[in-house]
């Protein structure tokens, strides 16, 4: 039997890559093997010469070594590029020593491929190289049409790629390396800061870039035609008022409105007829950017309507109001928000919506409306607010109910409440203080009072009992915001700010130790507390009450008069003195201006000319050291502030109107 021998062929070796060399133009000839050897230069060669003069030879010709009667290197591919170089030589722009980047085909296989393949397939040119080439062509003063003809791109595409040629080189490096897409490079082209481009491109090269990061930078503080106000204004009105528009070159983003103040003015003019209509219906009218904030001064937010609690009459009224809204909305379904009469036509719809919002109000009525822009629908949206009815209007109803309490008042949404806790008004000096400084002062002062109250169980017991007495035994309409002690078991914090070690940090350390003892006992909380000696119970109670204090004020316009009054009383009870535990440190002083730091030195009685020459950081250090030497703390951190002994009217305690809302008309 004859053995059959199977010959398994080994895999073909990968072809060797052509070497990249530089060839003198004088040494570069045209090989007879070139398939178009006999064809003369065409009419497009001068245009190609202009392109090469500006951007260089983008695709290297393929050459073989020359033979005896030939030049040193012969072009197998690159006939037109060689003709263009000869044109440049004839113009005197280059000479025979001009170096041309070429690929050297040394083996017969490489030479055969160089003769045939470039005429049937082309290796793709990376778009990053095209972008660089367009940038060079533009610098060479070539116009868009010439570049378009040279590179075979549409003129619009040339303009778009030209915009990309101005990005930082790192951006194109990341594009060439596959770390960025062309779409992302277009985002980079919209960033004017080259340094910022480089930093973000480096993130891309490191593999840490996300689209949303770029988009967030581009869209920040930019107003476009997608702005909610534009729906009611329209392009014609905006442009007629002098507004400018910028279109995105790449057609990816909506047109930008370069004059947002004009957009705002035109929008306000557009809603004025609607304001007049609502004013005639006895409503107070506000205009603002958004209806999501608190109620304007003197009004309340409309409470959530629990329909299952409505009487039969109220249910019927609600159904009728909703039907009326549907009727008016149907009649306006074809309304164009840009039409001249659109704002006037919206008046009946908003009044129907006001009637619907007012169903279910107790001792109150719809008294105000906030008009805001809306990108959807009719271009505006309305937020309604309730107005408590006057006491006189409720007198008959009160007598029928047999309620003869002398101090009855109507509060939010018309409900009755009583308040027999007098609230003195604090006299707080805030002139010249920023909101951040004011918040920091009240924050540190709160922490100081926490520390002193924690050391005085007797005072803490009084605070605790008084708070419970106020909430459970007295008639009080106040909320926790009007109290110093937040007995709702909320520990004091200011965002992610760490405790101050010598102040509330000390109290928290004590509680951490008690928590460890509790866990080690294996008991439940009530049983564990019961095992504590009376002195430890009192100490724990003081620490817990102290850590519930919250007297921080976020803004200079949000003075908590009632809470400050209690803070002064607590400070007197426990003889609070923050300087016994802490003096101003760098984090506290850093939020002060140089003028305010100098004032602190004056408060300490320090007159030192060196302080006037110090930079901010050095001055902070100087003040901190001076305060530590004297064991001193600013008077602003003491709660013993003077108060004006007068009752605060309910209207003064109401939420402030939004900063960006403007009262246009208030009904008499």
């Amino acid at each position: 039997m004859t053995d059959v021998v199977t010959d398994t062929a080994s895999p073909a070796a990968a072809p060797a890559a052509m070497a990249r060399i530089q060839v003198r133009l004088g040494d570069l000839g045209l090989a007879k093997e070139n398939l178009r050897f006999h064809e003369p230069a065409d009419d497009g060669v001068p245009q190609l010469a202009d392109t090469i003069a500006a951007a260089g030879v983008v695709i290297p010709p393929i050459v073989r070594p020359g033979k005896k009667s030939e030049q040193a290197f012969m072009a197998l591919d690159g006939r037109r590029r060689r003709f263009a170089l000869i044109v440049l030589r004839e113009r005197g722009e280059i000479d025979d020593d001009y170096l041309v980047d070429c690929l050297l085909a040394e083996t017969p296989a490489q030479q055969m491929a160089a003769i045939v393949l470039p005429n049937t397939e082309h290796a793709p040119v990376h778009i990053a190289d095209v972008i660089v080439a367009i940038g060079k062509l533009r610098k060479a003063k070539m116009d868009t049409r010439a570049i378009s003809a040279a590179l075979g791109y549409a003129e619009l595409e040339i303009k778009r790629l030209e915009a990309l040629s101005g990005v930082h080189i790192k951006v194109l490096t990341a594009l060439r390396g596959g770390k960025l897409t062309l779409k992302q490079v277009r985002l980079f082209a919209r960033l004017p800061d080259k340094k910022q481009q480089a930093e973000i491109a480096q993130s891309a090269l490191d593999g840490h870039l996300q689209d949303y990061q770029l988009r967030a930078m581009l869209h920040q503080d930019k107003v476009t035609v997608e702005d909610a106000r534009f729906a009611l204004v329209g392009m014609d009105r905006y442009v007629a008022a002098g507004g400018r528009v910028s279109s995105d070159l790449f057609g990816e983003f909506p047109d930008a409105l370069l004059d947002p103040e004009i957009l705002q003015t035109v929008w306000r003019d557009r809603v004025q007829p609607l304001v007049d209509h609502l004013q005639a219906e006895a409503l107070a009218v506000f205009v603002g950017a958004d209806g999501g904030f608190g109620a304007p001064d003197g009004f309340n937010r409309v409470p959530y309507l629990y329909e299952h609690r409505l009487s039969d009459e109220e249910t019927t009224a609600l159904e009728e109001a909703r039907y009326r809204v549907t009727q008016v909305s149907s009649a306006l379904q074809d309304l164009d928000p840009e039409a001249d009469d659109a704002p006037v036509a919206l008046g009946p719809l908003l009044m129907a919506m006001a009637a619907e919002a007012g169903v279910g109000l107790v001792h109150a009525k719809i008294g105000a409306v906030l008009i805001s822009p809306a990108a959807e629908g009719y271009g505006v949206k309305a937020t309604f607010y309730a107005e408590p009815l006057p006491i006189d209007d409720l007198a008959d109803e009160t007598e029928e109910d047999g309620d003869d309490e002398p101090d009855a008042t109507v509060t939010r949404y018309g409900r009755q409440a009583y308040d027999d806790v007098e609230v003195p008004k604090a006299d707080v000096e805030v002139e010249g203080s920023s909101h951040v400084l004011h918040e920091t002062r009240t924050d540190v002062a709160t922490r100081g009072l926490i520390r002193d109250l924690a050391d005085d169980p007797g005072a803490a017991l009084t605070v605790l009992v008084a708070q419970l007495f106020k909430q459970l035994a007295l008639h009080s309409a106040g909320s926790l915001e009007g109290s110093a002690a937040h007995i709702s078991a909320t520990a004091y914090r200011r965002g992610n700010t760490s405790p101050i070690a010598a102040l509330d940090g000390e109290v928290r350390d004590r509680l951490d130790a008690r928590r460890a003892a509790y866990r080690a006992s294996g008991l439940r909380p009530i049983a564990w507390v019961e095992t504590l000696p009376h002195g430890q119970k009192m100490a724990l109670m003081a620490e817990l009450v102290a850590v519930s204090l919250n007297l921080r004020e976020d803004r200079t316009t949000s003075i908590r008069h009632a809470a400050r009054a209690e803070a002064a009383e607590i400070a007197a009870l426990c003889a609070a003195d923050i300087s016994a535990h802490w003096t101003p440190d760098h984090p506290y002083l850093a939020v002060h201006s140089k003028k305010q730091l100098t004032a602190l030195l004056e408060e300490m009685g320090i007159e030192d000319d060196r302080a006037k020459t110090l930079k901010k950081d050095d001055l902070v250090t100087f003040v901190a050291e001076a305060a530590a030497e004297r064991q001193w703390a600013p008077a602003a951190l003491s709660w013993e502030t003077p108060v004006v002994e007068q009752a605060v009217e309910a209207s003064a305690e109401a939420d402030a109107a939004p900063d960006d809302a403007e009262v246009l008309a208030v009904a008499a």
Side-chain angles (χ1 to χ4, degrees), residues 443 447 493-501 504 508:
D443 167 65
R447 299 176 189 273
R493 291 190 184 281
R494 181 189 180 188
N496 295 323
T497 305
S498 301
I500 297 178
D504 59 321
R508 294 178 189 277

Side-chain angles (χ1 to χ4, degrees), residues 425-457:
K425 185 175 182 179
D427 183 12
V428 183
E429 178 59 48
V430 296
E431 184 176 354
S433 298
S434 66
H435 294 312
V436 173
L437 174 57
H438 183 75
E439 182 183 16
T440 302
R441 281 176 175 169
T442 54
D443 167 65
V444 175
T446 296
R447 299 176 189 273
L449 191 55
I450 286 174
R451 173 62 193 277
D452 283 308
L453 184 60
D455 290 337
D456 194 332

